[in-house]
Amino acid sequence: EDLGVRHRLWVYSGRRGVHCWVCDDAVRKWSPALRAAAVEYLSLVKVGARGARNHLPTPESVERGFMGLWVPPGPVEGGFVGVWAPSEPGEAQHREALQAEFPRRKDSAQRWELLRARLERARARPGAPGPCYADWEVMLHFCFPRLDVNVSKGLNHLLKSPFSVHPKTGRVSVPLDLQRLDQFDPFAVPTITSLCQELDTAGSDGEQEDGGATEPKRRARDYKKTSLAPYVRVFEQFVEGMESARRGERIRRSDLQGDF
């Protein structure tokens, strides 16, 4: 939204990543330098030689990044507490006290509550030296996506196409329906093995029902009988949206030319 792009197709990689295919005409003509600048702008957390570090220049960027995150089964904090085990908790003025108290807590949930309570008191203290967002920064540090700069800026970089098969998991790289994102289960997407079984079943049924139909026509219909069908529909809707926008742009340009 900040960069003004409209046509974005989000595709599950088949393992643990997500690809965002940006198909606006203007964006596809960006130079590598402009692409790298866009990724830099979107990178709140960077990974360097010494590991991940936050790149949060203002409290506003912390808040926007935090509110934009969603960790199933709920908002970022709901899915975060059970996996939190940081080695450097909070900011410097709280670190020694927290490290002394952490061993007395039996699990990460209790440690997280301790950190949150201490920071809430710090924020409420009169004359506090500016707002403290250490808890939000910790969540962003562990949950915010790491962006692959090289894939985004390199015009000759190899890309993984939608509906290709991940070589390690066998899962199909499927488009995501953002309206039903909270229902998406990466472990339930079709695999090459499950699709072969579904196509065999559909082919057997099709031979009985369409005795006179040609093989290509049967194959064209068979995918609709598999678990891949709803994902294909998401892709088709995305393409239809681009076609509609392009028709509207052509009409607008034609009208402008007619005015002169």
Side-chain angles (χ1 to χ4, degrees):
E1 293 174 358
D2 287 6
L3 299 174
V5 298
R6 296 175 54 195
H7 302 296
R8 306 181 301 273
L9 178 67
W10 296 88
V11 182
Y12 170 55
S13 71
R15 190 181 184 188
R16 59 184 181 186
V18 177
H19 304 284
C20 181
W21 287 77
V22 181
C23 299
D24 296 52
D25 285 341
V27 175
R28 288 190 281 120
K29 299 173 184 176
W30 280 2
S31 66
L34 191 53
R35 293 165 178 263
V39 176
E40 176 81 10
Y41 173 75
L42 296 171
S43 297
L44 293 186
V45 177
K46 298 181 179 180
V47 179
R50 297 183 179 180
R53 62 181 177 86
N54 291 331
H55 174 62
L56 303 165
T58 65
E60 290 75 17
S61 66
V62 178
E63 184 173 1
R64 289 190 64 198
F66 179 75
M67 294 306 177
L69 273 182
W70 182 273
V71 178
V76 59
E77 187 177 3
F80 172 80
V81 173
V83 299
W84 179 65
S87 59
E88 295 188 38
E91 295 186 348
Q93 65 267 33
H94 304 293
R95 187 169 298 141
E96 291 184 5
L98 288 171
Q99 287 178 337
E101 294 184 45
F102 269 16
R104 305 171 192 168
R105 302 300 190 270
K106 66 178 183 179
D107 55 32
S108 60
Q110 291 187 1
R111 294 179 179 182
W112 179 248
E113 288 303 318
L114 174 64
L115 173 63
R116 291 300 302 271
R118 180 175 291 275
L119 294 177
E120 288 295 336
R121 291 197 299 271
R123 282 192 280 260
R125 187 182 305 123
C132 180
Y133 291 97
D135 46 351
W136 288 15
E137 289 190 29
V138 169
M139 286 188 278
L140 286 176
H141 182 91
F142 284 93
C143 298
F144 200 83
R146 271 59 166 171
L147 304 181
D148 192 325
V149 179
N150 293 326
V151 171
S152 300
K153 76 176 183 179
L155 300 179
N156 61 345
H157 200 289
L158 292 176
L159 297 174
K160 194 167 185 294
S161 299
F163 301 108
S164 58
V165 179
H166 195 283
K168 293 185 177 180
T169 65
R171 300 190 195 111
V172 178
S173 181
V174 294
L176 299 174
D177 183 355
L178 297 188
Q179 302 302 318
R180 305 177 62 188
L181 190 58
D182 56 336
Q183 302 175 30
F184 177 72
D185 181 0
F187 300 107
V189 301
T191 65
I192 188 65
T193 302
S194 67
L195 285 176
C196 287
Q197 294 172 347
E198 292 171 356
L199 286 171
D200 286 343
T201 302
S204 300
D205 295 341
E207 289 177 1
Q208 297 175 359
E209 297 173 2
D210 307 329
T214 62
E215 183 65 20
K217 288 184 178 180
R218 281 203 299 269
R219 283 203 301 266
R221 291 193 296 267
D222 282 351
Y223 87 88
K224 296 182 179 180
K225 301 177 183 178
T226 71
S227 54
L228 199 62
Y231 301 106
V232 175
R233 184 55 190 153
V234 172
F235 183 77
E236 291 174 343
Q237 291 172 341
F238 174 75
V239 174
E240 291 166 2
M242 283 201 303
E243 290 178 342
S244 177
R246 182 165 294 182
R247 284 196 301 269
E249 181 63 20
R250 286 202 299 264
I251 293 173
R252 187 186 70 83
R253 292 179 179 177
S254 177
D255 291 344
L256 290 175
Q257 292 174 354
D259 293 340
F260 291 97

